[in-house]
């Protein structure tokens, strides 16, 4: 998506702030730094500032609409409303300076300087927000915060406008729109998410689709496939022990390798390789059968052996005990 050159707008706003700060009072009640005796300069500065805001608002609104269409949400709407309300309040103060004490900082130099800073933050957040892995849950929270900011602004405008004065109401509404900005929590949350993904990547956990992380909390069952999708195709046997005094570890290894080599497979290959490395050769097994979803069983030197999991072994023991 095409990026907005916010830095250009910021530099232009800072330039206007400097010129206005020289030729106009920085705060209400202050003297002019340099009296140029040019009454038309004041109108020109207001006009140029207004044109700058209109152009910026139009371009930002177009981008916000495209974001809204693509992702269902855009954090730019609050910024557009905030900077527009700020300039309208400033323009209104010059037309009717009713509250020069309460709104002492609402002047063109301060307003343009603040809008310049806002443009710089928009430039940074535009780049970061486009790269950060934003989830649907984050967008939903940011959308709620945006509506909350607008609701507070409308409430402040109506409440203070009706009980005090409409200029004060507009000032409160402007502050709500500028202070309650949904972009910051969205960006910080997405950056934390990105750091978590990088940590998992460093731990050799590949995240192919970050959006799928939102569904982890809803997972009830997981299927693990052991042929290279989640792990490598190579299996490694590290040790074989015996818990029966009648059989040594070498005896157990020889029996296991003898059963496994009759059926083959990755596990059989790893077990036979391990037994050879330990100097133990598989004992010849006969009548080896695969027990579906359980393991193997076969005959070695007249005795029947089963190669099953610990859980299945426990069930067999419990069954034998129950049957006497």
């Amino acid at each position: 998506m095409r990026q907005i050159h916010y830095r250009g707008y910021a530099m232009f706003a800072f330039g206007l702030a400097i010129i206005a700060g020289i030729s106009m009072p920085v705060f209400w009640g202050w003297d002019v730094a340099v009296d140029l005796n040019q009454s038309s300069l004041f109108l020109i500065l207001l006009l140029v500032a207004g044109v700058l805001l209109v152009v910026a608002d139009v371009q930002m609104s177009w981008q916000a609409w495209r974001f809204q269409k693509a992702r269902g949400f855009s954090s730019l709407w609050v910024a557009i409303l905030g900077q527009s309300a700020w300039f309208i309040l400033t323009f209104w103060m010059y037309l009717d300076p009713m509250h020069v004490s309460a709104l002492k900082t609402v002047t063109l130099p301060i307003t343009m300087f603040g809008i310049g800073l806002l443009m710089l933050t928009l430039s940074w957040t535009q780049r970061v927000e486009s790269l950060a892995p934003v989830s649907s849950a984050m967008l939903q929270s940011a959308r709620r915060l945006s509506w909350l900011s607008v609701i507070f602004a409308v409430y402040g405008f109506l409440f203070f406008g009706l009980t005090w004065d409409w200029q004060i109401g507009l000032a409160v509404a402007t502050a709500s729109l500028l202070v309650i900005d949904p972009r910051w929590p969205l960006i910080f949350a997405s950056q934390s998410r990105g750091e978590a993904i990088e940590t998992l990547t460093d731990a050799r956990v590949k995240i192919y689709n970050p959006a799928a992380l939102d569904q982890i909390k809803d997972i009830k069952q997981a299927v693990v496939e052991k042929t290279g999708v989640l792990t490598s195709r190579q299996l490694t046997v590290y040790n074989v022990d015996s818990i029966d005094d009648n059989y040594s570890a070498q005896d157990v290894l020889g029996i296991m390798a003898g059963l496994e080599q009759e059926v083959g497979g990755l596990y059989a290959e790893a077990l036979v390789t391990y037994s050879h490395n330990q100097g133990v050769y598989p004992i010849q097994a006969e009548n080896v059968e695969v027990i579906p979803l359980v393991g193997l069983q076969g005959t070695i030197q007249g005795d029947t052996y089963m190669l099953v999991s610990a859980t299945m072994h426990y069930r067999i023991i419990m069954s034998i005990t129950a049957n006497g």
Side-chain angles (χ1 to χ4, degrees):
M1 187 172 293
R2 185 178 179 181
Q3 303 290 297
I4 297 178
H5 299 290
Y6 287 110
R7 292 183 181 179
Y9 287 117
M11 295 301 104
F12 201 95
F14 287 144
L16 283 176
I18 293 174
I19 297 174
I22 295 175
S23 59
M24 300 169 59
V26 177
F27 298 106
W28 287 101
W30 283 27
D31 294 330
V32 179
V34 178
D35 190 359
L36 301 177
N37 292 322
Q38 295 289 333
S39 58
S40 60
L41 181 60
F42 165 72
L43 297 177
I44 293 174
L45 290 175
L46 276 178
L47 178 62
V48 173
V51 171
L52 173 66
L53 262 294
V54 170
V55 173
D57 283 349
V58 170
Q59 193 170 8
M60 291 170 63
S61 298
W62 172 248
Q63 189 180 60
W65 180 81
R66 295 179 65 184
F67 269 114
Q68 188 84 25
K69 187 176 180 180
R71 300 195 303 182
F73 168 76
S74 175
S75 60
L76 281 177
W77 295 117
V78 176
I80 294 170
L81 292 175
Q83 68 183 15
S84 299
W86 197 356
F87 181 77
I88 292 173
L89 176 63
T90 304
F91 186 78
W92 191 1
M93 282 290 294
Y94 283 110
L95 292 179
D96 188 7
M98 294 185 294
H99 302 284
V100 293
S101 297
L103 303 178
K104 191 174 183 178
T105 59
V106 183
T107 61
L108 187 62
I110 299 299
T111 298
M112 296 314 299
F113 181 77
I115 290 177
L117 292 178
L118 178 62
M119 292 296 177
L120 287 181
T121 63
L122 287 171
S123 176
W124 179 76
T125 56
Q126 175 180 238
R127 183 181 66 258
V128 175
E129 190 173 355
S130 61
L131 298 176
V134 179
S135 67
S136 58
M138 295 177 187
L139 289 175
Q140 186 176 6
S141 298
R143 186 184 298 110
R144 292 172 180 171
L145 187 58
S146 296
W147 279 110
L148 186 64
S149 175
V150 174
I151 291 173
F152 280 166
V154 173
Y155 175 79
F157 178 71
L158 294 176
F159 179 81
F160 287 96
L162 292 172
T163 58
W164 192 349
D165 182 83
W166 291 110
Q167 272 192 358
I168 299 297
L170 183 57
V172 173
T174 302
S176 298
L177 293 171
L178 293 175
V179 173
I180 308 176
D181 194 335
R183 292 174 300 143
W184 298 107
L186 178 65
I187 290 173
F188 290 141
S190 61
Q191 284 184 328
S192 299
R193 183 187 184 92
E195 292 173 358
I197 292 176
E198 289 181 1
T199 302
L200 291 173
T201 303
D202 294 338
R204 297 183 179 181
V205 177
K206 295 182 179 180
I207 308 297
Y208 293 99
N209 182 15
L213 295 175
D214 298 333
Q215 309 301 323
I216 290 180
K217 59 182 178 60
D218 299 324
I219 293 178
K220 299 297 187 296
Q221 297 178 346
V223 178
V224 179
E225 202 278 324
K226 299 289 289 184
T227 59
V229 176
L230 298 179
T231 60
S232 66
R233 291 185 59 84
Q234 182 179 0
L235 301 179
T236 302
V237 178
Y238 290 97
N239 66 291
V240 174
D241 295 322
S242 174
I243 58 174
D244 191 331
D245 294 337
N246 296 321
Y247 296 90
S248 66
Q250 289 77 13
D251 294 334
V252 173
L253 178 58
I255 294 171
M256 293 175 62
L259 292 172
E260 284 289 347
Q261 74 174 357
E262 296 298 322
V263 296
L266 293 176
Y267 184 69
E269 181 181 342
L271 190 59
V272 171
T273 300
Y274 176 78
S275 67
H276 287 167
N277 293 336
Q278 298 297 315
V280 177
Y281 292 92
I283 303 175
Q284 184 63 41
E286 300 176 347
N287 302 322
V288 178
E289 298 179 0
V290 177
I291 307 174
L293 303 178
V294 175
L296 303 173
Q297 72 175 9
T299 302
I300 295 179
Q301 297 177 354
D303 294 325
T304 300
Y305 295 91
M306 298 180 67
L307 181 57
V308 296
S309 65
T311 301
M312 180 55 63
H313 176 265
Y314 176 76
R315 292 179 179 177
I316 294 174
I317 295 299
M318 293 299 295
S319 177
I320 294 175
T321 303
N323 294 330

